């Protein structure tokens, strides 16, 4: 894995886990659009990519496991107070 390009090709595959409101989905979409404009990172629905982000909505606060790996999921939790 090239440390200067954490997501190969600037593609960030993700899956949603939990029930997000339409407003929360709109905020996530806007965040992805901002990353695309300013960081050349494009969010895509995960298909078969080995490395991806799982966005969760649990009552456990706001947290993320930092960094991209070569395989597996990196969890980002968006609790109610995030």
């Amino acid at each position: 894995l090239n440390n200067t390009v954490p997501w190969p090709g600037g593609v960030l595959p993700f899956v949603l886990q939990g029930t997000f409101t339409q407003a929360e989905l709109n905020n996530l979409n806007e965040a992805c659009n901002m990353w695309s404009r300013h960081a050349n990172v494009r969010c895509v629905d995960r298909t078969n990519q080995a490395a991806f982000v799982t966005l969760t909505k649990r009552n456990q606060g706001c947290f993320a496991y930092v960094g991209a790996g070569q395989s597996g999921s990196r969890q980002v939790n968006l609790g109610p107070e995030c």
Side-chain angles (χ1 to χ4, degrees), residues 1-11 13 50-52 66-72 74:
L1 185 66
N2 181 340
N3 289 333
T4 63
V5 183
W7 296 101
V11 175
F52 60 98
V66 179
Q70 293 184 7
S71 65
R74 298 296 182 259

Side-chain angles (χ1 to χ4, degrees), residues 17 19-20 24 28 55-64 75-82:
Q17 192 174 77
T19 303
F20 291 85
E24 291 166 333
L28 290 170
L55 298 169
T56 58
K57 184 179 175 183
R58 298 183 179 143
N59 292 327
Q60 299 172 332
C62 310
F63 62 86
Q75 182 182 6
V76 175
N77 190 64
L78 304 172
E81 61 278 356
C82 296

Side-chain angles (χ1 to χ4, degrees), residues 31-53:
C32 285
N33 288 336
M34 182 188 69
W35 293 331
S36 180
R37 288 190 308 270
H38 300 288
N40 200 26
V41 173
R42 186 170 46 96
C43 301
V44 298
D45 291 330
R46 179 183 183 238
T47 54
N48 62 350
Q49 296 90 343
F52 60 98
V53 169

Side-chain angles (χ1 to χ4, degrees), residues 6-18:
W7 296 101
V11 175
L12 176 80
F14 73 96
V15 295
L16 297 176
Q17 192 174 77

